[in-house]
Amino acid sequence: MSDKMSFQADVSKMLDIVVNSLYSEKQIFLRELISNASDACDKLKYLALTNPGLVKDAGNMKIKITPDEKANTLTISDDGIGMNKEDLINHLGTIAKSGTADFVKNASENGSACDLIGQFGVGFYSAFMVADKVEIITRRAGEDQAWKWVSDGMEGFEISEAKRESNGTDIKLFLKKDEKQYTDTIYLRQIIRTYSDHIGYPIVLDLGKAGEETVNSASALWTRHKSEISKDQYKEFYHHISHNFDDPWMTLHFKAEGNIEYTGLLYIPSSAPYDLFQPDRKNGLKLYVNKVFISDKVEELIPNYLRFVKGVIDSSDLPLNISREMLQHSALIEKIKHGTVSRILKELKKRTKDYDDYMKFWKNFGIVLKEGIYEDFSNREEIAALSYFNSTKDEEKLTTLDEYISRAAEGQKAIYYITGDDVKILRNNPQLEAFKEKGIEVLLLNEPIDEFWPQVLPNYKGFAIKHVTQAENDMGWERKEARADEGSLKKLTDLMTEMFKNEVGKVTTTEKLTKSPVSLTVEDGQMSLHLERLMRNHQQQTAFASTRILELNPYHPLIIKLADMAADEAQRAKVEEIAKLLLDQAKIAEGEAVSDPSFFSEKMSEYILKSVA
Ligand code: ADP
Ligand code: MG
């Protein structure tokens, strides 16, 4: 008796793409299946730690590859954890991560699906690139019933009861007619050596009458000495562990000795994963205790702002029978984390020496690393030193805080920054006019996280970190140009304050503007306009809206004229109309929408016409 079941819709969609997209390196299916077999052995080993009944099964595990030239089949067997009926349905009929299929579809339309097969847990399905039919016989460790799963990789699969001597899984591929080369032992040996040498279990190739041959080195890569590992082996291990296909941007292999010993083999990818900002994303480190895989879900092993780091941490100082719950509050884990973080930061520091190379990393992960300035109290300054920012100094290259300081003007005591959505708009923000005039550099910060880290890093190497709105008194500004009459100016600001009382807290004058007549800002110490917009976009606003201030430039001919007009009751209507346009102008410079677009454009045409008439 057998159960016929359909693939979840997402699986069908994806299978279609995986099988039909022209994939140049089809042989990676073998790596995926061997990788799954190795995972299955890891899982059984872990289970055996707490379940003595399974210890016998967990000893001497291996992965066996059996080609059959006559039948044109290839079988990958392991004696790992195996699967029961639910496992088969849940793991080989659905896709665990939501959105995966859509992403694969998009990627394939952009021509990059091939590189992504592993990353989305579609590893197993890659078997259908070379096989018309896949038959699995499997038995879960500790259970008596074995199961058979068969599928042609089209609509669905069939499950029926089966027999298997012991726990483990055989995956038999009925190879397509033109994929006969996967029964050739010479070819198989070569593929396994290339892609799977680092697997920690023996991979045994069945040579038929000639017996069996162990093809890989079968020792966990990170336990070997650096000098014995080639660049390619490091890279293949990275592919195995990260499911990425790119070259790692950074490879960091170290052994920490001292009161706690552990080994780390860590990587930073050269491209950003699609789910870097998905809240359910798990971190990329696997924890081993003395080569036994424990968990890849130990949140505490690496801070969130380094969630792009992939790799392995192995420590023989942790108790083998440690439960995943205990790991969460372990002081040893805390120490390992601390040591690992400082090694990563040190290595990053070294890499900043080559700007172009470092930018490859920064454009992928800088925005995540910067979260660390906010999150990681003990490494705050170090992470800030590794961060790069846009600045008024240079339109092409980003700058560090240290470089900024090295260029600071005589007597300058602060690092100034402004925040907004778009660097181009920020560059022209009226608030920067006085800074430009005095040759003082301003950092142009345009990412949401930039609203937060300066709040926890008020100083850097003796320099205050200040938003430009907090700089009014720093400028030591002595201006000699004509200024609007004080009395008329007061009338104008009073009038405008009354007019705009629903939109801005007050209208004042400023010494900071040189070119623009007006500018919008907030009361010192309040949430910036950029942050306010961010919050509004996330529907979190209203309760703490900042008090906006409309600043007038008393040296600007337009303001001088308007102040004069404000003193004359007869011109009231005209003054009000121009005042409204000025507020709109300030909003536009800040990157905000005008309050009444039709009024604005009507008046705009009217004034343009006057100027050309
Ligand atoms: P991933 O390995 O990223 O989870 P795969 O598509 O390669 O995704 O495999 C899907 C799931 O199928 C695995 O997570 C595992 O639960 C199960 N599986 C695949 N191969 C085996 C195997 N040889 N033994 C036990 N379980 C397996
Ligand atoms: Mg897999």
Side-chain angles (χ1 to χ4, degrees):
M1 218 207 62
S2 75
D3 278 350
K4 264 201 175 113
M5 301 190 197
S6 303
F7 285 122
Q8 187 194 37
D10 274 358
V11 176
S12 301
K13 223 194 284 177
M14 195 180 54
L15 267 167
D16 189 50
I17 294 160
V18 169
V19 176
N20 295 319
S21 65
L22 283 178
Y23 191 51
S24 55
E25 287 180 88
K26 282 189 188 171
Q27 73 263 29
I28 63 97
F29 83 88
L30 189 56
R31 173 189 59 195
E32 292 300 322
L33 298 182
I34 289 176
S35 165
N36 286 349
S38 161
D39 290 348
C41 295
D42 278 350
K43 284 179 195 159
L44 180 58
K45 229 188 200 175
Y46 178 75
L47 215 60
L49 295 175
T50 49
N51 193 336
L54 297 176
V55 171
K56 173 179 57 72
D57 300 335
N60 295 327
M61 288 181 287
K62 63 179 186 198
I63 298 162
K64 193 167 159 186
I65 313 291
T66 314
D68 182 335
E69 211 183 323
K70 264 209 211 94
N72 198 27
T73 62
L74 178 68
T75 306
I76 295 94
S77 307
D78 65 69
D79 33 25
I81 185 121
M83 287 176 273
N84 59 25
K85 192 175 178 184
E86 289 80 71
D87 293 334
L88 284 167
I89 295 170
N90 292 336
H91 300 318
L92 301 181
T94 58
I95 303 176
K97 289 185 224 157
S98 59
T100 299
D102 285 341
F103 191 82
V104 172
K105 183 163 172 283
N106 282 340
S108 80
E109 281 159 10
N110 300 328
S112 56
C114 314
D115 291 354
L116 302 165
I117 286 177
Q119 205 179 335
F120 306 102
V122 299
F124 166 76
Y125 301 108
S126 66
F128 289 103
M129 294 194 300
V130 297
D132 314 295
K133 183 171 116 177
V134 176
E135 184 185 287
I136 301 176
I137 306 283
T138 181
R139 187 174 138 191
R140 181 149 175 123
E143 299 182 15
D144 294 327
Q145 183 62 56
W147 298 93
K148 178 162 131 182
W149 180 102
V150 188
S151 172
D152 59 2
M154 310 281 254
E155 257 101 63
F157 51 91
E158 271 185 63
I159 296 183
S160 52
E161 293 185 354
K163 291 225 169 342
R164 199 181 191 277
E165 284 282 300
S166 55
N167 62 286
T169 303
D170 308 302
I171 299 192
K172 188 173 194 175
L173 312 184
F174 293 80
L175 296 165
K176 293 181 181 172
K177 263 201 218 75
D178 52 354
E179 304 292 357
K180 282 201 162 57
Q181 70 270 29
Y182 295 111
T183 60
D184 173 7
T185 50
I186 297 173
Y187 188 47
L188 286 170
R189 185 186 293 118
Q190 183 211 325
I191 304 176
I192 297 167
R193 287 221 175 111
T194 309
Y195 293 112
S196 308
D197 185 60
H198 55 79
I199 295 286
Y201 302 93
I203 302 173
V204 175
L205 186 56
D206 188 332
L207 302 171
K209 286 190 201 90
E212 294 186 342
E213 177 195 337
T214 300
V215 185
N216 64 331
S217 348
S219 70
L221 189 78
W222 63 89
T223 60
R224 298 185 214 162
H225 195 269
K226 271 185 182 183
S227 61
E228 291 159 17
I229 307 173
S230 72
K231 215 178 154 201
D232 277 349
Q233 284 173 322
Y234 272 129
K235 188 167 106 180
E236 275 316 319
F237 184 67
Y238 162 72
H239 289 175
H240 166 68
I241 199 150
S242 68
H243 291 306
N244 286 359
F245 286 59
D246 56 350
D247 284 2
W249 179 78
M250 182 174 108
T251 302
L252 184 60
H253 188 184
F254 61 89
K255 203 171 161 66
E257 274 152 351
N259 47 11
I260 163 161
E261 288 190 9
Y262 56 96
T263 299
L265 176 49
L266 308 179
Y267 299 92
I268 294 179
S270 59
S271 54
Y274 73 106
D275 60 350
L276 199 51
F277 293 99
Q278 285 181 9
D280 59 348
R281 180 189 160 80
K282 51 179 188 185
N283 79 50
L285 294 197
K286 294 187 184 222
L287 179 67
Y288 284 72
V289 172
N290 228 346
K291 291 184 278 181
V292 178
F293 171 70
I294 302 295
S295 173
D296 54 7
K297 298 189 182 67
V298 187
E299 299 282 332
E300 291 70 19
L301 205 50
I302 190 133
N304 214 17
Y305 67 89
L306 292 175
R307 59 186 178 273
F308 49 83
V309 176
K310 306 270 186 180
V312 167
I313 297 284
D314 190 339
S315 174
S316 42
D317 285 344
L318 289 166
L320 246 183
N321 59 357
I322 194 163
S323 74
R324 286 176 190 161
E325 292 67 42
M326 277 161 68
L327 286 169
Q328 286 170 6
H329 309 287
S330 153
L332 285 174
I333 292 284
E334 190 56 39
K335 283 207 180 100
I336 293 176
K337 171 182 175 179
H338 194 79
T340 304
V341 167
S342 79
R343 273 173 202 268
I344 295 171
L345 297 181
K346 235 183 240 134
E347 193 66 17
L348 284 174
K349 184 76 209 167
K350 278 192 215 151
R351 298 286 295 265
T352 58
K353 292 204 180 86
D354 180 343
Y355 176 83
D356 292 333
D357 174 54
Y358 191 76
M359 281 303 116
K360 287 183 202 150
F361 159 74
W362 185 256
K363 78 176 184 337
N364 285 323
F365 303 115
I367 184 170
V368 179
L369 186 71
K370 266 193 290 186
E371 293 172 11
I373 309 178
Y374 190 75
E375 267 174 41
D376 187 346
F377 184 76
S378 57
N379 292 302
R380 195 153 282 174
E381 285 236 348
E382 239 177 309
I383 301 166
L386 292 170
S387 299
Y388 281 71
F389 309 96
N390 283 292
S391 129
T392 50
K393 204 76 192 171
D394 196 326
E395 298 209 6
E396 309 285 311
K397 274 179 101 173
L398 305 183
T399 185
T400 61
L401 297 181
D402 292 283
E403 286 163 359
Y404 179 107
I405 289 174
S406 73
R407 289 188 293 257
E410 183 84 16
Q412 184 181 341
K413 293 195 188 66
I415 294 172
Y416 297 103
Y417 70 93
I418 184 166
T419 56
D421 318 294
D422 182 331
V423 175
K424 270 204 218 95
I425 296 178
L426 280 178
R427 243 180 239 293
N428 297 316
N429 191 302
Q431 294 285 323
L432 302 186
E433 287 170 3
F435 292 88
K436 282 181 193 156
E437 202 101 338
K438 302 201 104 194
I440 294 176
E441 183 172 359
V442 178
L443 300 179
L444 310 171
L445 309 183
N446 67 322
E447 278 153 2
I449 184 68
D450 294 325
E451 289 291 347
F452 301 97
W453 67 259
Q455 296 172 15
V456 296
L457 191 76
N459 292 289
Y460 181 81
K461 299 194 177 164
F463 277 67
I465 296 188
K466 277 190 178 182
H467 195 280
V468 290
T469 53
Q470 303 168 322
E472 183 83 40
N473 301 324
D474 296 5
M475 289 286 125
W477 208 231
E478 252 182 74
R479 300 179 64 162
K480 301 200 176 60
E481 312 108 275
R483 201 174 196 279
D485 170 71
E486 208 53 49
S488 326
L489 207 50
K490 171 90 173 60
K491 274 221 178 69
L492 179 63
T493 50
D494 285 351
L495 171 70
M496 287 173 78
T497 303
E498 178 57 27
M499 269 178 78
F500 301 140
K501 63 171 184 263
N502 296 327
E503 292 200 67
V504 301
K506 62 179 170 188
V507 179
T508 63
T509 58
T510 179
E511 303 296 305
K512 264 185 326 203
L513 299 172
T514 61
K515 293 204 191 75
S516 304
V518 286
S519 175
L520 213 47
T521 181
V522 292
E523 195 92 73
D524 194 3
Q526 289 201 347
M527 174 163 41
S528 77
L529 295 173
H530 174 231
L531 179 57
E532 222 184 284
R533 279 197 295 279
L534 286 173
M535 309 262 288
R536 212 180 303 136
N537 291 342
H538 288 85
Q539 270 105 44
Q540 287 184 358
Q541 212 234 332
T542 59
F544 298 106
S546 306
T547 312
R548 289 157 174 250
I549 300 174
L550 180 65
E551 293 181 331
L552 306 185
N553 174 3
Y555 303 95
H556 196 284
L558 180 54
I559 299 298
I560 297 176
K561 178 86 188 143
L562 198 63
D564 285 347
M565 286 165 72
D568 177 0
E569 271 305 317
Q571 306 214 56
R572 176 56 57 87
K574 197 79 210 161
V575 171
E576 287 187 359
E577 182 178 298
I578 294 171
K580 268 192 190 160
L581 284 170
L582 285 173
L583 176 60
D584 281 343
Q585 191 187 348
K587 284 183 176 175
I588 290 170
E590 172 58 37
E592 297 206 342
V594 302
S595 32
D596 182 354
S598 66
F599 167 81
F600 182 78
S601 69
E602 186 190 311
K603 288 296 156 195
M604 188 76 171
S605 314
E606 193 182 313
Y607 285 94
I608 292 174
L609 190 61
K610 265 184 206 155
S611 82
V612 295

